[in-house]
């Protein structure tokens, strides 16, 4: 099958796209044509590209969605075209043959028939066995819907270090981690700690650290990061970042998608947490392990299988 892959400028969009293409190639023999956002639509026929009896066009992110529609309109004059959009389009969702998007995009509405919904973000699955006594602590940064209480975060991380005194600790930040918080956490004492600065650690190295860590503790400001952790073996825990309880909205459409995803993963047993709770007159920090931690999430495999099944009906 010929497949036109529209590359986005956003790495966060291209990662799930690449994961899905790699997994989908296990079901189909793919002839991949890479297409950039600034490419003209008629480039697809340059260099004597031979179009097969059907062409699949796929892209992730709102900018690529516009290109999907333009390419489909252009190529439909010459061959059968199937359009697939990753991430929920801002409008006209029915214009695409298939839309692949997280379940949390439909908190307040029914999932349309042309949608394949999945938990979290699509990520490459790792079956690597974690190294014993290995811990990764990965810090993101505050967002409009995810506040950071620096003192609380430091207390939670100090507790992790106390609970795992003999483990190898991988301490990682991101480009969004507040500098003052990062400096304070780096100063915490532990006999076997390795610091990974975001500007000095490439993406592949970071993903290897995640895949090989027996216990993963991450701030819950990024659905992508949590999904990557859950797509490998080991135990994943969300670090409490604030004492603030997310506001419950009367209208579900205004609900916090990150909180919805975290609650869903906790209730299903995939995600644990470290949290400061009140026990009588005092506050204590507790770590709750996820009840399901032997196998990774296989969301990208499920989506690739469902996509292949649906294509047979076109």
């Amino acid at each position: 099958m010929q497949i036109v892959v529209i590359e986005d400028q956003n790495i966060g969009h291209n990662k799930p796209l690449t994961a899905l293409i790699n997994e989908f190639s296990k079901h189909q023999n793919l002839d991949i044509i890479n297409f950039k956002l600034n490419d003209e639509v008629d480039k697809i026929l340059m260099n004597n590209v031979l179009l097969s009896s059907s062409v699949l066009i796929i892209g992730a992110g709102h900018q690529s969605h516009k290109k999907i529609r333009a390419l489909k309109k252009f190529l439909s004059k010459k061959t059968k075209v199937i359009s697939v959009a990753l991430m929920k389009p801002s409008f006209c969702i029915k214009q695409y043959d298939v839309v692949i998007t997280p379940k949390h995009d439909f908190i307040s509405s029914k999932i349309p028939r042309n949608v394949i919904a999945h938990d979290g973000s699509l990520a490459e699955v790792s079956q690597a066995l974690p190294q014993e006594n290995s811990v990764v602590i990965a810090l993101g940064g505050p967002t409009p819907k995810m506040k950071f209480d620096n003192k609380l975060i430091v207390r939670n991380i100090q507790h992790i270090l106390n609970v795992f005194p003999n483990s190898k600790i991988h301490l990682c930040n991101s480009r969004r981690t507040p500098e003052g918080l990062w400096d304070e956490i780096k100063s915490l004492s532990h006999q076997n700690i390795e610091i990974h600065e975001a500007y000095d650690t490439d993406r592949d190295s970071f993903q290897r650290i995640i895949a090989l860590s027996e216990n993963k503790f991450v701030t819950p400001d990024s659905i992508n990061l949590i999904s990557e952790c859950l797509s490998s073996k080991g135990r994943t825990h969300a670090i409490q970042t604030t004492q603030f309880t997310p506001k419950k909205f009367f209208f579900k459409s205004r609900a916090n998608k990150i909180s919805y995803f975290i609650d869903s993963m906790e209730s299903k047993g995939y995600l644990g947490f470290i949290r400061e709770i009140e026990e009588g007159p005092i506050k204590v920090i507790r770590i709750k392990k996820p009840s399901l931690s032997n196998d990774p999430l296989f969301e990208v495999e499920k989506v690739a299988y469902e996509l292949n099944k649906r294509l047979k009906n076109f």
Side-chain angles (χ1 to χ4, degrees):
M1 168 181 280
Q2 277 192 324
I3 178 170
V4 179
V5 179
I6 302 177
E7 300 174 354
D8 196 293
Q9 295 171 337
N10 188 323
I11 246 179
H13 296 167
N14 285 333
K15 282 177 57 184
L17 177 61
T18 300
L20 179 59
I21 296 300
N22 290 342
E23 191 61 39
F24 186 58
S25 66
K26 298 175 184 178
H27 298 271
Q28 295 270 358
N29 184 19
L30 301 179
D31 175 14
I32 298 176
I33 302 170
N34 291 311
F35 198 88
K36 299 186 184 303
L37 288 175
N38 58 355
D39 286 340
E40 296 297 330
V41 292
D42 57 358
K43 181 201 170 186
I44 207 74
L45 296 179
M46 292 174 63
N47 301 321
N48 298 315
V49 173
L50 179 63
L51 294 174
S52 59
S53 58
S54 65
V55 176
L56 180 73
I57 303 175
I58 187 169
H62 302 303
Q63 288 185 304
S64 73
H65 293 167
K66 297 178 183 178
K67 214 70 172 182
I68 291 173
R69 297 198 302 273
L71 276 174
K72 181 171 182 178
K73 182 178 180 180
F74 179 77
L75 295 178
S76 291
K77 303 171 186 177
K78 307 174 184 301
T79 188
K80 179 181 177 181
V81 178
I82 303 165
S83 59
V84 179
L86 262 69
M87 302 174 60
K88 185 182 178 183
S90 300
F91 57 92
C92 301
I93 195 170
K94 292 184 179 179
Q95 287 189 6
Y96 306 89
D97 295 306
V98 179
V99 172
I100 299 170
T101 195
K103 293 176 183 176
H104 57 249
D105 283 339
F106 294 94
I107 296 174
S108 60
S109 59
K110 184 178 179 181
I111 298 176
R113 295 183 65 180
N114 67 324
V115 169
I116 299 175
H118 55 84
D119 285 319
S121 299
L122 298 181
E124 297 275 3
V125 175
S126 172
Q127 291 282 16
L129 292 176
Q131 297 172 350
E132 290 187 11
N133 298 318
S134 57
V135 176
V136 61
I137 301 173
L139 304 174
T143 69
K145 291 188 177 182
M146 185 67 63
K147 305 301 181 183
F148 269 36
D149 179 337
N150 289 1
K151 292 182 179 179
L152 174 63
I153 294 172
V154 170
R155 290 198 299 271
N156 281 326
I157 291 177
Q158 181 64 73
H159 185 74
I160 295 169
L161 300 181
N162 293 340
V163 170
F164 298 95
N166 300 315
S167 295
K168 174 69 175 289
I169 306 291
H170 296 277
L171 188 58
C172 309
N173 69 340
S174 77
R175 289 170 173 79
R176 294 189 297 107
T177 306
E179 186 175 344
L181 172 62
W182 180 235
D183 288 340
E184 190 170 358
I185 290 173
K186 286 191 295 183
S187 69
L188 297 177
S189 177
H190 189 276
Q191 67 175 2
N192 192 6
I193 194 167
E194 188 172 304
I195 294 173
H196 305 271
E197 297 279 357
Y199 291 99
D200 298 327
T201 307
D202 62 75
R203 191 68 200 178
D204 290 340
S205 298
F206 178 63
Q207 289 185 314
R208 281 195 298 271
I209 292 170
I210 288 177
L212 296 177
S213 292
E214 189 175 35
N215 284 283
K216 317 168 210 295
F217 293 88
V218 299
T219 54
D221 48 283
S222 169
I223 292 177
N224 286 341
L225 177 57
I226 295 174
S227 298
E228 287 177 7
C229 291
L230 292 174
S231 296
S232 60
K233 293 179 179 289
R235 293 179 287 270
T236 301
H237 312 74
I239 300 173
Q240 180 191 26
T241 61
T242 177
Q243 295 281 10
F244 172 74
T245 303
K247 183 178 179 181
K248 300 294 183 182
F249 289 100
F250 179 77
F251 296 104
K252 290 184 178 180
S253 60
R254 298 182 63 191
N256 187 327
K257 293 181 180 181
I258 293 181
S259 296
Y260 175 88
F261 170 66
I262 291 170
D263 290 345
S264 173
M265 292 294 97
E266 284 187 6
S267 64
K268 292 178 181 178
Y270 293 114
L271 185 65
F273 60 78
I274 175 168
R275 191 173 296 163
E276 190 174 77
I277 59 177
E278 292 185 359
E279 290 190 356
I282 63 171
K283 289 183 178 181
V284 296
I285 296 176
R286 297 292 187 205
I287 295 177
K288 180 183 176 183
K289 296 179 181 179
S291 56
L292 302 174
S293 57
N294 291 327
D295 291 315
L297 281 179
F298 294 97
E299 291 303 294
V300 70
E301 295 185 9
K302 295 175 186 175
V303 169
Y305 174 81
E306 179 63 23
L307 176 61
N308 186 59
K309 187 170 71 172
R310 291 198 184 194
L311 291 183
K312 295 176 181 178
N313 297 323
F314 285 100

